[in-house]
Amino acid sequence: MNVNTCIQPPQFLPLSPFYRQRFHLFTQKPQSLKRTKKSCYFSTTAGDNSFKGGLFRVQKGRIRCSVSEVEEQKEKQQQVVKRAYPFHEIEPKWQSYWEKNQTFRTPDEVDTSKPKFYVLDMFPYPSGAGLHVGHPLGYTATDILARLKRMQGYNVLHPMGWDAFGLPAEQYAIETGTHPKITTLRNINRFRSQLKSLGFSYDWDREISTTEPQYYKWTQWIFLQLLKRGLAYQAEVPVNWCPALGTVLANEEVVDGVSERGGHPVIRKPMRQWMLKITAYADRLLEDLDDLDWPESVKEMQRNWIGRSEGAELEFCVLDGDGKERDIKITVYTTRPDTVFGATYLVLAPEHSLLPSLMSPSQRESVEEYKDLASRKSDLERTELQKEKTGVFSGCYAQNPANGEAIPIWVADYVLGSYGTGAIMAVPAHDTRDYEFATKYDIPIRWVVKPDDDDFSDSGKAYEGEGSILNSSSSTSGLDINGLHSKVAASKVIEWADTTGNGKKKVNYKLRDWLFARQRYWGEPIPVVFLQDTDETTPILETDLPLTLPELDDFTPTGTGEPPLAKAVSWVKTTDPSSGKPAMRETSTMPQWAGSCWYYLRYMDPKNSKELVDKTKEKYWSPVDVYVGGAEHAVLHLLYSRFWHKVLYDIGVVSTKEPFKCVINQGIILGGVQYTAFKNPDGNYVSADSADLSGEINQEIIPDEKVIKSGDSFVLKGDPSIRLIARAHKMSKSRGNVVNPDDVVSEYGADSLRLYEMFMGPFRDSKTWSTSGIEGVYRFLGRTWRLIVGSPLPDGTFRDGTVAIDGEPSFEQLRSLHKCIAKVTEEIERTRFNTGISAMMEFINAAYKWDKLPRSIIEEFVLLLSPYAPHMAEELWFRLGHLNSLAYEPFPKANPDYLKESTIVLPVQINGKMRGTIQIEEGCSEEDAFRLVSQDAKLSKFLDGKSIKKRIYVPGKILNVILGPQNIKAGVR
């Protein structure tokens, strides 16, 4: 229905933000209304005639519009009125200001006499899904720290960039035919836009991407330095090979032994790959952990991953069918040489190099079948402690060097060829895995260690601790360790083995060399060539870097195991730069970890084309002062970065031994709580505490409005006897619990999102998203705005300026402010952001009780608020009469004089027993304190009718009144 309604322009249109926006009149006033036969339009002082006709037309001096448009306009007005403060105008305004004025740009040349603060977020991968509300948690924290330090006079480096090579973009390219470069750039643009909408103070001039040739030129340069020093080499290693897809798969593409895409069988196949010798730095990576300000859990994870252990390598001679020694020895590594007499069998990994020469003819088929099965499992699946142990007898025996016994050689997948020597001596009495295996296959179990305080031989499980050695003597070998303690016995076994040639002392590591090649297109090309006639490896010249990726239209696997780059024939065929001979380029690419190993250095000098980083700049900015990211990167990323940094330190590129001084792991933001009810086969609800989850039971998700809380549990609102399971899950598209920050910003503003994510709880803890929670901080910001600006006008807009006055603040106002300053400053620096917000809320509550708002108090508070809610703070600062951004204004400092409490709580004892407390002024005398006790309604009852024998007063600490037996009314002495 299109009924015309008349609206007088002078009364309505100039005042409406809705119409001002529709007519592009944000800062201009309409001067006249012109009319033609077909249309009308506003003309402005700027001559903006961009909007013509269509919606409005002029008849008899009035503008006519449809009823539907009037309703739309009214709805827009109602939204303005409902908003707690005009964030929709403030936030774009200040984001535009910061970008136009490059407010947060760190100059290339800084005043090095000033202290520096380098705060960094872990390199994000720009996925197609964009950000969810869990991502800004860490980004907000680093931004608060960066803003604080700028205001405290530090030179701040706070950059952002993109770890943009990777598998998802290539998979998407294979599925859609879209070049990964196009997808990556699109994703980066979306991420950047979302980050800017949240007001983060990044120096966008330093933005980098691992996919840019000018960046990966230096990634390739680092590889060449590793190659020169023998830290990069090639070796045959097992990879995940899928015959049906004809490609090598990453570990994350393999699920339960089949390909994630298509569900095809995957096997472990040896392939020549590039490796980085991180094991050469194992001791330094371990030792230098002690000096780092990192979470102890992260340091412990790295220690366990490196896995340094001291033990012995022992040699077991293989026996032939007649029990005679063959010219083959199996070397095993053990951390418990004291248990050698308890070794009743050996276990070899299925991929052990000696296995083909050990299999007996009768067992060959069984062993080959077992090897094939093992090749389909990942290392994680093979070593899972809970899984049932499997194995097969090789048909061969070896001799235990300690006692001369012939013991069987088994093949089992719980032993890995990549750890130790790929063979173990199995001592089932004193190792749980060996015990389970021996019990299953009926292999003898011999006890050789007795606990100091117990007889463990009949316990039905392995004893893995230390104790006194028994059953460990042999006249044949000359080794006798009976009665010795485990540690002493271990040393004696090592000494015996070294003397007799049966072994030696050995330090071992769980850490393996880093597999540094992927059979993928979307990654950094490896800068080497292979001579066609000799297959000799030759590095390309450093002056020829970067070696750029060739353009490919077909990213699909080759089907032969060769990487997709092999399809770029004209690129692959080249000449050796040194000899000029025909050569072939390496067609594998670097893994995604490569670019993220050193990016923190490039931020210091992102446009340097002559060296990785200028030495002067590196020396000033290194190391990163605060590095924030998820705990999931505790091992691989942080360990690889430390390894590369130490190599760069050794060759003089960097000046510090470690890259990151302080690492902080933020918690995870979980999706909203999900409530689950259980139903029996009859369809009736069953309480969660009585449901038989192992039987026939159905689950049903219950909406929030049908749930109430009862004590510590959640129950059905319609039937409180039915208890529900309440659980929050990590945000994921599959669960449908992802919250898009764009939606939150649109409804509540970026400052509300920032504030809420910091207010949810301790920064390092996991937290559950709650829309009602963000409404709370949104109301706080609204109260802050109204306190300083004043109440909204009838149309929902706000007056210009503020209600602050120029008068002198009172002592109580100063005290309230400086307590807030002290608390907020301390809590930001200790990353306890939630309690800092609480302090500001307390200040606002107190300020609402004041008759007047002194400008000096409000200005200081606005500066306090700015790291958390920068858009609102900037606008308030501007309204308070300041023309420049507050980003570099000095951060307030607490005056200790205003932090002293003028009153204290004094405990009062009667005859040595605590009876209550009184409030006294600081410096209160004994007489005044006793007078207050006498006047206190509760305490005076203990004094009535009693004589005072003695008073013991410790000023400011305690008053103890000792009563006498006389029945006299107490008074002031």
Side-chain angles (χ1 to χ4, degrees):
M1 186 174 180
N2 192 17
V3 179
N4 287 329
T5 303
C6 295
I7 301 174
Q8 293 287 0
Q11 298 174 353
F12 187 72
L13 289 177
L15 298 176
S16 167
F18 168 71
Y19 286 118
R20 288 204 301 270
Q21 184 175 5
R22 292 295 290 267
F23 284 98
H24 311 288
L25 300 176
F26 294 101
T27 59
Q28 305 166 75
K29 295 181 179 179
Q31 300 298 307
S32 64
L33 183 65
K34 295 189 177 180
R35 173 177 156 185
T36 65
K37 291 182 179 180
K38 294 184 179 180
S39 63
C40 74
Y41 58 90
F42 281 109
S43 68
T44 71
T45 53
D48 182 357
N49 301 334
S50 58
F51 182 89
K52 294 188 179 182
L55 176 59
F56 299 97
R57 62 183 182 276
V58 176
Q59 286 185 354
K60 297 181 180 179
R62 292 185 175 187
I63 295 178
R64 295 188 177 274
C65 61
S66 67
V67 171
S68 62
E69 291 299 332
V70 173
E71 291 173 348
E72 180 184 348
Q73 187 274 339
K74 287 180 178 178
E75 183 180 345
K76 292 283 186 181
Q77 274 197 314
Q78 289 172 357
Q79 289 178 2
V80 171
V81 173
K82 287 179 181 177
R83 287 193 180 107
Y85 69 100
F87 63 82
H88 63 296
E89 296 175 355
I90 293 170
E91 292 178 354
K93 169 185 172 180
W94 287 103
Q95 288 164 16
S96 175
Y97 175 93
W98 294 329
E99 186 162 357
K100 179 181 177 181
N101 292 278
Q102 293 188 306
T103 304
F104 307 114
R105 180 179 177 272
T106 303
D108 290 334
E109 302 297 330
V110 297
D111 179 1
T112 56
S113 66
K114 293 171 62 176
K116 64 92 178 178
F117 186 70
Y118 185 179
V119 57
L120 184 62
D121 300 294
M122 287 190 183
F123 225 10
Y125 175 78
S127 68
L131 297 175
H132 64 63
V133 292
H135 293 114
L137 178 64
Y139 303 156
T140 304
T142 58
D143 194 60
I144 290 172
L145 290 168
R147 288 176 179 273
L148 171 71
K149 292 299 181 181
R150 283 192 197 96
M151 298 172 78
Q152 289 180 333
Y154 285 73
N155 290 323
V156 172
L157 187 58
H158 187 38
M160 176 52 72
W162 319 105
D163 188 13
F165 276 129
L167 192 58
E170 183 155 351
Q171 286 179 322
Y172 186 78
I174 293 171
E175 293 168 5
T176 65
T178 307
H179 197 286
K181 180 164 62 177
I182 296 173
T183 306
T184 299
L185 287 174
R186 183 170 63 233
N187 294 347
I188 286 174
N189 290 336
R190 173 160 169 71
F191 259 65
R192 187 192 303 109
S193 173
Q194 287 184 296
L195 292 177
K196 287 186 175 182
S197 76
L198 295 173
F200 296 135
S201 60
Y202 295 123
D203 179 359
W204 288 106
D205 271 10
R206 294 175 183 261
E207 180 183 8
I208 57 177
S209 170
T210 55
T211 61
E212 295 299 326
Q214 60 267 33
Y215 178 84
Y216 68 70
K217 165 186 178 178
W218 298 105
T219 309
Q220 293 172 333
W221 181 86
I222 295 172
F223 177 86
L224 293 180
Q225 310 317 304
L226 293 165
L227 188 64
K228 286 179 187 176
R229 287 155 182 80
L231 297 170
Y233 65 96
Q234 286 189 294
E236 290 280 339
V237 295
V239 296
N240 300 313
W241 169 251
C242 179
L245 297 177
T247 187
V248 173
L249 300 179
N251 288 334
E252 57 267 31
E253 295 178 283
V254 182
V255 180
D256 297 329
V258 298
S259 62
E260 184 180 40
R261 181 165 54 94
H264 303 294
V266 176
I267 63 172
R268 300 283 282 173
K269 173 183 176 181
M271 185 175 288
R272 193 162 180 80
Q273 300 276 35
W274 282 100
M275 309 290 292
L276 296 188
K277 203 169 185 179
I278 190 173
T279 51
Y281 282 74
D283 281 326
R284 288 168 62 182
L285 290 168
L286 195 61
E287 292 163 4
D288 292 344
L289 280 171
D290 295 336
D291 299 327
L292 297 177
D293 181 15
W294 290 17
E296 195 55 42
S297 59
V298 172
K299 294 200 283 188
E300 193 59 27
M301 288 173 71
Q302 291 213 359
R303 290 187 188 104
N304 292 336
W305 190 266
I306 295 168
R308 187 183 190 278
S309 62
E310 293 185 3
E313 279 188 351
L314 301 177
E315 293 187 342
F316 289 69
C317 190
V318 177
L319 303 176
D320 61 18
D322 297 327
K324 296 180 180 179
E325 294 183 1
R326 294 174 57 185
D327 192 21
I328 301 176
K329 289 186 177 181
I330 297 173
T331 303
V332 304
Y333 173 76
T334 177
T335 58
R336 293 293 302 272
D338 56 310
T339 64
V340 63
F341 283 93
T344 56
Y345 65 104
L346 297 185
V347 182
L348 268 60
E351 57 272 19
H352 198 287
S353 59
L354 290 179
L355 189 54
S357 61
L358 300 179
M359 296 181 289
S360 68
S362 61
Q363 288 294 105
R364 184 173 296 277
E365 184 177 348
S366 298
V367 173
E368 292 292 354
E369 287 179 3
Y370 186 80
K371 286 174 61 178
D372 183 61
L373 288 172
S375 71
R376 302 176 189 275
K377 299 179 184 179
S378 68
D379 288 354
L380 187 62
E381 291 173 303
R382 286 171 56 176
T383 55
E384 188 180 358
L385 294 177
Q386 285 74 25
K387 85 176 189 74
E388 183 182 1
K389 305 299 180 289
T390 62
V392 62
F393 178 44
S394 68
C396 191
Y397 291 81
Q399 187 178 66
N400 185 328
N403 56 21
E405 289 183 1
I407 58 176
I409 302 172
W410 283 74
V411 182
D413 62 7
Y414 73 86
V415 175
L416 300 177
S418 59
Y419 179 66
T421 64
I424 65 164
M425 67 175 203
V427 185
H430 304 293
D431 183 276
T432 300
R433 292 185 310 171
D434 297 345
Y435 184 89
E436 292 172 358
F437 191 91
T439 303
K440 179 177 180 178
Y441 292 106
D442 198 23
I443 300 172
I445 299 173
R446 179 181 296 126
W447 300 89
V448 294
V449 180
K450 178 183 178 182
D452 295 331
D453 56 354
D454 192 17
D455 182 5
F456 213 77
S457 59
D458 296 325
S459 65
K461 60 181 181 180
Y463 171 67
E464 297 187 329
E466 297 181 346
S468 299
I469 304 299
L470 69 159
N471 301 325
S472 299
S473 175
S474 170
S475 58
T476 305
S477 65
L479 180 61
D480 181 2
I481 54 175
N482 277 334
L484 300 179
H485 193 269
S486 294
K487 281 189 170 61
V488 178
S491 297
K492 188 169 182 179
V493 171
I494 293 173
E495 183 182 350
W496 165 83
D498 192 52
T499 303
T500 60
N502 286 305
K504 61 182 178 181
K505 185 176 182 177
K506 178 72 174 178
V507 174
N508 201 32
Y509 300 90
K510 288 182 182 177
L511 181 66
R512 302 292 91 198
D513 281 344
W514 177 9
L515 196 159
F516 196 73
R518 298 290 185 269
Q519 285 63 56
R520 297 288 175 186
Y521 167 73
W522 194 232
E524 299 93 337
I526 296 175
V528 299
V529 299
F530 304 98
L531 297 182
Q532 278 190 344
D533 52 353
T534 63
D535 205 30
E536 179 186 348
T537 304
T538 305
I540 71 171
L541 300 176
E542 292 180 12
T543 53
D544 291 339
L545 297 178
L547 173 61
T548 57
L549 278 171
E551 292 292 331
L552 277 185
D553 296 324
D554 180 10
F555 319 103
T556 57
T558 59
T560 63
E562 286 187 293
L565 276 179
K567 297 178 180 180
V569 178
S570 60
W571 180 84
V572 172
K573 291 184 177 180
T574 185
T575 55
D576 172 34
S578 301
S579 64
K581 295 180 179 178
M584 305 287 283
R585 295 194 190 279
E586 171 63 75
T587 52
S588 292
T589 52
M590 298 184 194
Q592 186 176 354
W593 301 106
S596 62
C597 277
W598 69 280
Y599 72 106
Y600 57 93
L601 294 171
R602 194 60 177 171
Y603 282 139
M604 301 174 188
D605 195 11
K607 296 177 175 62
N608 193 331
S609 60
K610 297 181 179 179
E611 55 186 338
L612 187 147
V613 60
D614 176 79
K615 284 183 169 56
T616 303
K617 293 177 181 178
E618 183 280 326
K619 191 171 183 179
Y620 177 73
W621 287 112
S622 284
V624 175
D625 293 287
V626 175
Y627 193 34
V628 175
E632 65 271 19
H633 301 298
V635 176
L636 296 182
H637 163 62
L638 289 174
L639 197 63
Y640 293 158
S641 293
R642 294 181 63 219
F643 165 46
W644 275 32
H645 192 89
K646 289 182 182 302
V647 174
L648 293 173
Y649 176 79
D650 288 348
I651 64 177
V653 174
V654 297
S655 59
T656 63
K657 293 182 179 180
E658 289 286 337
F660 314 117
K661 181 179 179 181
C662 173
V663 168
I664 301 174
N665 298 136
Q666 80 270 23
I668 297 171
I669 293 184
L670 304 172
V673 176
Q674 191 178 73
Y675 303 99
T676 305
F678 299 97
K679 284 186 173 181
N680 61 23
D682 297 330
N684 299 317
Y685 286 117
V686 182
S687 185
D689 46 15
S690 60
D692 180 11
L693 300 182
S694 62
E696 292 185 26
I697 203 81
N698 296 315
Q699 298 185 12
E700 180 181 323
I701 303 300
I702 305 298
D704 294 5
E705 60 270 16
K706 294 185 178 181
V707 178
I708 58 171
K709 190 167 186 180
S710 175
D712 294 332
S713 304
F714 292 89
V715 298
L716 276 178
K717 184 182 290 185
D719 184 357
S721 67
I722 303 300
R723 190 170 72 82
L724 310 175
I725 297 295
R727 185 180 177 187
H729 299 271
K730 188 174 180 180
M731 288 188 182
S732 67
K733 287 197 295 184
S734 61
R735 288 192 178 274
N737 63 350
V738 171
V739 179
N740 189 330
D742 297 349
D743 299 334
V744 179
V745 170
S746 175
E747 188 168 356
Y748 299 102
D751 284 344
S752 293
L753 176 59
R754 291 168 60 109
L755 211 65
Y756 175 56
E757 298 218 347
M758 295 297 98
F759 191 59
M760 292 173 77
F763 179 59
R764 293 163 175 80
D765 293 355
S766 293
K767 298 161 277 280
T768 303
W769 179 266
S770 168
T771 301
S772 61
I774 195 169
E775 287 171 351
V777 296
Y778 177 59
R779 287 194 297 271
F780 162 68
L781 287 174
R783 293 189 75 223
T784 302
W785 178 264
R786 292 191 300 275
L787 173 73
I788 300 172
V789 174
S791 299
L793 301 173
D795 65 353
T797 61
F798 290 86
R799 53 168 284 176
D800 294 334
T802 70
V803 298
I805 63 170
D806 291 328
E808 286 295 319
S810 69
F811 180 84
E812 282 304 314
Q813 288 174 328
L814 287 167
R815 213 173 123 193
S816 182
L817 171 67
H818 283 271
K819 284 174 67 177
C820 186
I821 293 172
K823 186 67 172 176
V824 171
T825 305
E826 178 184 4
E827 301 306 77
I828 291 178
E829 290 180 338
R830 297 190 179 186
T831 64
R832 298 190 301 230
F833 305 106
N834 55 323
T835 47
I837 296 170
S838 295
M840 290 189 285
M841 289 179 170
E842 291 174 9
F843 173 86
I844 291 297
N845 289 338
Y848 261 94
K849 299 174 184 176
W850 302 341
D851 294 331
K852 297 177 180 178
L853 293 179
R855 183 181 303 276
S856 59
I857 296 286
I858 294 306
E859 286 186 342
E860 294 282 277
F861 176 75
V862 168
L863 295 175
L864 276 186
L865 178 66
S866 64
Y868 287 93
H871 305 91
M872 176 182 280
E874 288 276 20
E875 180 65 19
L876 293 174
W877 189 250
F878 177 74
R879 284 169 171 260
L880 285 163
H882 302 279
L883 299 180
N884 295 322
S885 167
L886 54 64
Y888 295 91
E889 289 294 322
F891 198 75
K893 292 183 179 180
N895 186 335
D897 293 340
Y898 296 117
L899 302 180
K900 297 175 183 176
E901 293 291 344
S902 60
T903 62
I904 57 177
V905 177
L906 183 73
V908 178
Q909 293 180 342
I910 308 294
N911 288 337
K913 187 173 183 179
M914 178 65 66
R915 293 297 187 182
T917 61
I918 57 172
Q919 289 273 352
I920 65 170
E921 292 292 325
E922 215 174 76
C924 179
S925 68
E926 180 182 337
E927 290 297 329
D928 288 338
F930 184 71
R931 181 179 293 108
L932 291 170
V933 172
S934 302
Q935 295 170 353
D936 185 86
K938 178 182 175 184
L939 293 171
S940 62
K941 293 178 182 179
F942 295 101
L943 305 180
D944 286 346
K946 305 287 176 61
S947 63
I948 309 301
K949 182 178 180 181
K950 186 179 181 183
R951 293 198 310 240
I952 303 170
Y953 181 60
V954 181
K957 300 293 184 182
I958 196 167
L959 172 62
N960 186 6
V961 181
I962 309 299
L963 302 176
Q966 297 178 2
N967 194 20
I968 312 172
K969 185 172 179 63
V972 179
R973 190 172 58 185

